[in-house]
Coordinates of all heavy atoms in Angstrom, one line a residue:
Chain B
E158 N -49.5 -57.1 -13.3 CA -48.9 -56.6 -14.5 C -49.3 -55.1 -14.8 O -48.5 -54.3 -15.2 CB -49.2 -57.5 -15.7 CG -48.1 -57.5 -16.7 CD -48.4 -58.3 -18.0 OE1 -49.6 -58.5 -18.2 OE2 -47.5 -58.6 -18.7
I159 N -50.6 -54.9 -14.6 CA -51.1 -53.5 -14.8 C -50.5 -52.6 -13.7 O -50.1 -51.4 -14.1 CB -52.7 -53.5 -14.7 CG1 -53.2 -54.2 -15.9 CG2 -53.2 -52.0 -14.7 CD1 -54.8 -54.4 -15.9
A160 N -50.4 -53.0 -12.5 CA -49.8 -52.2 -11.4 C -48.4 -51.8 -11.8 O -47.9 -50.7 -11.6 CB -49.9 -52.9 -10.1
R161 N -47.7 -52.8 -12.3 CA -46.3 -52.6 -12.7 C -46.2 -51.6 -13.8 O -45.3 -50.7 -13.7 CB -45.7 -54.0 -13.2 CG -44.2 -53.9 -13.4 CD -43.7 -55.3 -13.8 NE -44.2 -55.7 -15.1 CZ -44.0 -56.8 -15.7 NH1 -43.4 -57.8 -15.1 NH2 -44.5 -57.1 -16.9
A162 N -47.1 -51.7 -14.8 CA -47.0 -50.7 -15.8 C -47.4 -49.3 -15.3 O -46.8 -48.3 -15.7 CB -48.0 -51.1 -16.9
L163 N -48.4 -49.3 -14.4 CA -48.8 -48.0 -13.8 C -47.7 -47.3 -13.0 O -47.6 -46.1 -13.0 CB -50.0 -48.2 -13.0 CG -51.3 -48.5 -13.7 CD1 -52.5 -48.7 -12.7 CD2 -51.6 -47.3 -14.7
A164 N -46.9 -48.1 -12.4 CA -45.8 -47.6 -11.5 C -44.9 -46.7 -12.4 O -44.2 -45.9 -11.9 CB -45.0 -48.7 -10.9
S165 N -44.8 -47.0 -13.7 CA -43.9 -46.2 -14.5 C -44.6 -44.9 -15.0 O -44.1 -44.2 -15.8 CB -43.5 -47.0 -15.8 OG -44.6 -47.1 -16.7
A166 N -45.8 -44.6 -14.3 CA -46.5 -43.3 -14.6 C -46.6 -43.1 -16.1 O -46.2 -42.0 -16.6 CB -45.8 -42.2 -13.9
P167 N -47.3 -44.0 -16.8 CA -47.3 -43.8 -18.3 C -48.4 -42.7 -18.7 O -49.3 -42.5 -17.9 CB -47.8 -45.2 -18.8 CG -48.6 -45.7 -17.6 CD -48.0 -45.2 -16.4
T168 N -48.1 -42.1 -19.8 CA -49.2 -41.3 -20.4 C -50.0 -42.1 -21.3 O -51.2 -41.8 -21.6 CB -48.6 -40.0 -21.1 OG1 -47.5 -40.5 -21.9 CG2 -48.2 -39.0 -20.1
L169 N -49.4 -43.1 -21.9 CA -50.1 -44.1 -22.8 C -49.9 -45.5 -22.2 O -48.8 -45.9 -22.0 CB -49.6 -44.0 -24.2 CG -50.2 -45.0 -25.2 CD1 -51.7 -44.8 -25.4 CD2 -49.4 -44.9 -26.5
L170 N -51.0 -46.2 -22.0 CA -51.0 -47.5 -21.5 C -51.6 -48.5 -22.6 O -52.7 -48.3 -23.0 CB -51.7 -47.6 -20.2 CG -51.9 -49.0 -19.5 CD1 -50.5 -49.6 -19.2 CD2 -52.7 -48.9 -18.3
L171 N -50.8 -49.5 -23.0 CA -51.3 -50.5 -23.9 C -51.7 -51.8 -23.2 O -50.8 -52.4 -22.5 CB -50.3 -50.8 -25.0 CG -50.1 -49.7 -26.0 CD1 -49.0 -48.7 -25.5 CD2 -49.6 -50.2 -27.4
L172 N -52.9 -52.2 -23.3 CA -53.3 -53.4 -22.6 C -53.6 -54.5 -23.7 O -54.5 -54.3 -24.5 CB -54.6 -53.2 -21.7 CG -54.4 -52.1 -20.7 CD1 -55.8 -51.8 -20.0 CD2 -53.4 -52.6 -19.6
D173 N -52.8 -55.6 -23.6 CA -53.0 -56.7 -24.6 C -53.9 -57.8 -24.0 O -53.4 -58.6 -23.2 CB -51.7 -57.2 -25.1 CG -51.7 -57.9 -26.4 OD1 -52.9 -58.2 -26.8 OD2 -50.7 -58.2 -27.0
E174 N -55.1 -57.8 -24.4 CA -56.1 -58.8 -23.9 C -56.1 -58.9 -22.4 O -55.8 -60.0 -21.9 CB -55.9 -60.1 -24.6 CG -56.1 -60.0 -26.1 CD -56.2 -61.4 -26.8 OE1 -56.7 -62.3 -26.0 OE2 -56.0 -61.5 -28.0
P175 N -56.3 -57.9 -21.7 CA -56.2 -57.9 -20.2 C -57.3 -58.8 -19.6 O -57.1 -59.3 -18.5 CB -56.4 -56.5 -19.8 CG -57.2 -55.8 -20.9 CD -56.7 -56.5 -22.2
A176 N -58.4 -59.1 -20.3 CA -59.5 -59.8 -19.7 C -59.4 -61.3 -20.0 O -60.2 -62.1 -19.4 CB -60.8 -59.3 -20.2
S177 N -58.4 -61.7 -20.8 CA -58.4 -63.2 -21.2 C -58.0 -64.0 -20.0 O -57.0 -63.7 -19.3 CB -57.5 -63.4 -22.4 OG -56.2 -63.6 -22.0
G178 N -58.8 -65.0 -19.7 CA -58.5 -65.8 -18.5 C -59.1 -65.3 -17.2 O -59.0 -65.9 -16.2
L179 N -59.8 -64.2 -17.3 CA -60.5 -63.7 -16.1 C -61.9 -64.1 -16.0 O -62.6 -64.3 -17.0 CB -60.5 -62.1 -16.1 CG -59.1 -61.4 -16.2 CD1 -59.3 -59.9 -15.8 CD2 -58.1 -62.0 -15.2
D180 N -62.4 -64.3 -14.8 CA -63.8 -64.7 -14.6 C -64.7 -63.4 -14.6 O -64.2 -62.3 -14.7 CB -64.1 -65.5 -13.4 CG -63.7 -64.8 -12.1 OD1 -63.8 -63.5 -12.1 OD2 -63.4 -65.4 -11.1
A181 N -66.0 -63.5 -14.5 CA -66.9 -62.4 -14.7 C -66.6 -61.3 -13.6 O -66.6 -60.1 -14.0 CB -68.4 -62.9 -14.6
V182 N -66.4 -61.7 -12.4 CA -66.2 -60.7 -11.3 C -64.9 -60.0 -11.6 O -64.8 -58.7 -11.5 CB -66.1 -61.5 -10.0 CG1 -65.8 -60.4 -8.9 CG2 -67.3 -62.3 -9.7
E183 N -63.8 -60.7 -12.0 CA -62.5 -60.1 -12.2 C -62.6 -59.2 -13.4 O -62.0 -58.1 -13.4 CB -61.5 -61.2 -12.5 CG -61.1 -61.9 -11.3 CD -60.3 -63.2 -11.6 OE1 -60.4 -63.8 -12.7 OE2 -59.5 -63.6 -10.7
T184 N -63.4 -59.6 -14.5 CA -63.6 -58.7 -15.6 C -64.2 -57.4 -15.3 O -63.8 -56.3 -15.7 CB -64.4 -59.4 -16.7 OG1 -63.7 -60.7 -17.0 CG2 -64.4 -58.6 -18.0
E185 N -65.2 -57.5 -14.4 CA -65.9 -56.3 -13.9 C -64.9 -55.4 -13.2 O -64.9 -54.1 -13.4 CB -67.0 -56.7 -13.0 CG -68.0 -55.5 -12.8 CD -69.4 -56.1 -12.7 OE1 -69.7 -57.1 -13.2 OE2 -70.2 -55.4 -12.0
R186 N -64.1 -55.9 -12.4 CA -63.1 -55.1 -11.7 C -62.1 -54.5 -12.6 O -61.8 -53.3 -12.5 CB -62.3 -56.0 -10.7 CG -63.0 -56.4 -9.5 CD -62.1 -56.6 -8.3 NE -61.1 -55.5 -8.2 CZ -59.9 -55.6 -7.9 NH1 -59.4 -56.8 -7.5 NH2 -59.0 -54.6 -7.8
L187 N -61.8 -55.2 -13.7 CA -60.9 -54.7 -14.7 C -61.5 -53.5 -15.4 O -60.9 -52.5 -15.6 CB -60.5 -55.8 -15.7 CG -59.7 -55.3 -16.9 CD1 -58.3 -55.0 -16.4 CD2 -59.7 -56.4 -18.0
Q188 N -62.8 -53.6 -15.7 CA -63.6 -52.6 -16.3 C -63.6 -51.3 -15.5 O -63.3 -50.2 -16.0 CB -65.0 -53.1 -16.5 CG -65.9 -52.1 -17.3 CD -67.3 -52.7 -17.5 OE1 -67.4 -53.9 -17.9 NE2 -68.3 -51.9 -17.3
D189 N -63.8 -51.5 -14.2 CA -63.8 -50.3 -13.3 C -62.4 -49.6 -13.3 O -62.3 -48.4 -13.3 CB -64.2 -50.7 -11.9 CG -65.6 -51.2 -11.8 OD1 -66.4 -50.9 -12.7 OD2 -65.9 -51.9 -10.8
L190 N -61.4 -50.5 -13.3 CA -60.0 -50.0 -13.2 C -59.7 -49.2 -14.5 O -59.1 -48.1 -14.4 CB -59.1 -51.3 -13.2 CG -57.7 -51.0 -12.8 CD1 -57.6 -50.7 -11.3 CD2 -56.8 -52.2 -13.1
I191 N -60.1 -49.7 -15.6 CA -59.8 -49.0 -16.9 C -60.5 -47.6 -16.9 O -59.9 -46.6 -17.2 CB -60.2 -49.8 -18.1 CG1 -59.4 -51.1 -18.2 CG2 -60.1 -49.0 -19.4 CD1 -59.8 -52.1 -19.3
L192 N -61.8 -47.6 -16.5 CA -62.5 -46.4 -16.4 C -61.9 -45.4 -15.4 O -61.8 -44.2 -15.7 CB -64.0 -46.6 -16.1 CG -64.7 -47.4 -17.2 CD1 -66.1 -47.8 -16.8 CD2 -64.8 -46.6 -18.5
E193 N -61.4 -45.9 -14.3 CA -60.8 -45.1 -13.3 C -59.5 -44.5 -13.9 O -59.2 -43.3 -13.7 CB -60.5 -45.9 -12.0 CG -59.6 -45.2 -11.0 CD -60.3 -43.9 -10.5 OE1 -61.5 -43.8 -10.5 OE2 -59.5 -43.0 -10.1
L194 N -58.7 -45.3 -14.6 CA -57.5 -44.8 -15.2 C -57.8 -43.7 -16.2 O -57.1 -42.7 -16.3 CB -56.7 -45.9 -15.9 CG -56.1 -47.0 -15.0 CD1 -55.5 -48.1 -15.8 CD2 -55.0 -46.3 -14.1
R195 N -58.9 -43.9 -17.0 CA -59.2 -42.8 -17.9 C -59.6 -41.5 -17.2 O -59.2 -40.5 -17.6 CB -60.4 -43.3 -18.8 CG -60.6 -42.4 -20.0 CD -61.8 -42.8 -20.8 NE -63.0 -42.6 -20.0 CZ -64.2 -42.5 -20.6 NH1 -64.3 -42.5 -21.9 NH2 -65.3 -42.4 -19.9
R196 N -60.3 -41.7 -16.1 CA -60.6 -40.5 -15.3 C -59.4 -39.8 -14.9 O -59.3 -38.6 -14.8 CB -61.4 -40.9 -14.1 CG -62.9 -40.6 -14.2 CD -63.7 -40.7 -12.9 NE -63.6 -42.0 -12.3 CZ -64.4 -43.0 -12.7 NH1 -65.3 -42.9 -13.6 NH2 -64.3 -44.2 -12.1
Q197 N -58.3 -40.6 -14.6 CA -57.1 -40.0 -14.2 C -56.3 -39.3 -15.3 O -55.2 -38.8 -15.1 CB -56.2 -41.0 -13.5 CG -56.7 -41.5 -12.1 CD -55.8 -42.5 -11.4 OE1 -54.7 -42.7 -11.9 NE2 -56.3 -43.0 -10.3
G198 N -56.8 -39.5 -16.5 CA -56.2 -38.8 -17.7 C -55.2 -39.7 -18.4 O -54.5 -39.2 -19.3
I199 N -55.1 -41.0 -18.2 CA -54.2 -41.9 -18.9 C -54.9 -42.3 -20.2 O -56.0 -42.7 -20.2 CB -53.8 -43.1 -18.0 CG1 -53.1 -42.6 -16.8 CG2 -53.0 -44.1 -18.8 CD1 -52.7 -43.8 -15.8
T200 N -54.1 -42.2 -21.3 CA -54.6 -42.6 -22.6 C -54.5 -44.2 -22.6 O -53.4 -44.7 -22.2 CB -53.8 -42.0 -23.7 OG1 -53.7 -40.6 -23.4 CG2 -54.5 -42.2 -25.1
I201 N -55.5 -44.9 -23.1 CA -55.4 -46.3 -23.1 C -55.6 -46.9 -24.5 O -56.6 -46.5 -25.2 CB -56.4 -46.9 -22.1 CG1 -55.9 -46.5 -20.7 CG2 -56.4 -48.4 -22.2 CD1 -56.9 -47.0 -19.6
L202 N -54.8 -47.8 -24.9 CA -55.0 -48.5 -26.2 C -55.2 -50.0 -25.8 O -54.4 -50.5 -25.0 CB -53.8 -48.4 -27.1 CG -54.0 -48.9 -28.5 CD1 -55.1 -48.2 -29.3 CD2 -52.7 -48.7 -29.3
L203 N -56.3 -50.6 -26.2 CA -56.7 -51.9 -25.7 C -56.9 -52.9 -26.8 O -57.6 -52.5 -27.8 CB -58.0 -51.6 -24.9 CG -58.8 -52.7 -24.4 CD1 -58.1 -53.2 -23.1 CD2 -60.2 -52.3 -24.0
V204 N -56.3 -54.0 -26.7 CA -56.7 -55.1 -27.6 C -57.5 -56.1 -26.7 O -57.1 -56.5 -25.6 CB -55.5 -55.9 -28.1 CG1 -55.9 -57.3 -28.6 CG2 -54.8 -55.1 -29.2
E205 N -58.7 -56.4 -27.2 CA -59.6 -57.2 -26.3 C -60.5 -58.1 -27.1 O -61.1 -57.6 -28.1 CB -60.3 -56.4 -25.3 CG -61.1 -57.1 -24.2 CD -60.3 -58.2 -23.6 OE1 -59.3 -57.9 -22.9 OE2 -60.6 -59.4 -23.7
H206 N -60.7 -59.3 -26.7 CA -61.7 -60.2 -27.4 C -63.1 -60.1 -26.7 O -64.1 -60.4 -27.3 CB -61.2 -61.6 -27.4 CG -60.3 -61.9 -28.5 ND1 -60.6 -61.7 -29.8 CD2 -59.0 -62.3 -28.5 CE1 -59.6 -62.0 -30.6 NE2 -58.6 -62.3 -29.8
D207 N -63.1 -59.7 -25.4 CA -64.3 -59.6 -24.7 C -65.1 -58.4 -25.1 O -64.8 -57.2 -24.8 CB -64.0 -59.5 -23.2 CG -65.3 -59.5 -22.3 OD1 -66.3 -58.9 -22.8 OD2 -65.3 -60.1 -21.2
M208 N -66.1 -58.6 -26.0 CA -66.8 -57.4 -26.6 C -67.6 -56.7 -25.6 O -67.8 -55.4 -25.7 CB -67.7 -57.9 -27.7 CG -66.9 -58.3 -29.0 SD -65.9 -56.9 -29.4 CE -64.6 -57.7 -30.2
G209 N -68.1 -57.3 -24.6 CA -68.9 -56.6 -23.5 C -68.0 -55.6 -22.9 O -68.4 -54.4 -22.8
L210 N -66.8 -56.0 -22.5 CA -65.9 -55.1 -21.9 C -65.5 -53.9 -22.8 O -65.5 -52.8 -22.5 CB -64.6 -55.8 -21.4 CG -63.5 -55.0 -20.8 CD1 -63.9 -54.5 -19.5 CD2 -62.2 -55.8 -20.8
T211 N -65.2 -54.3 -24.1 CA -64.7 -53.4 -25.0 C -65.8 -52.3 -25.2 O -65.5 -51.1 -25.2 CB -64.4 -54.1 -26.4 OG1 -63.6 -55.1 -26.1 CG2 -63.8 -53.1 -27.4

Side-chain angles (χ1 to χ4, degrees):
Chain B
E158 212 186 16
I159 293 174
R161 188 178 67 186
L163 287 178
S165 72
T168 43
L169 173 65
L170 177 62
L171 290 85
L172 301 172
D173 199 348
E174 298 197 24
S177 83
L179 300 193
D180 63 26
V182 181
E183 289 168 331
T184 307
E185 195 146 332
R186 285 211 43 217
L187 177 69
Q188 186 178 314
D189 294 344
L190 195 76
I191 293 173
L192 291 174
E193 172 60 29
L194 289 174
R195 191 182 65 158
R196 259 194 296 281
Q197 292 182 6
I199 298 177
T200 313
I201 293 174
L202 190 61
L203 172 78
V204 163
E205 188 48 67
H206 277 300
D207 184 325
M208 284 306 151
L210 175 72
T211 309

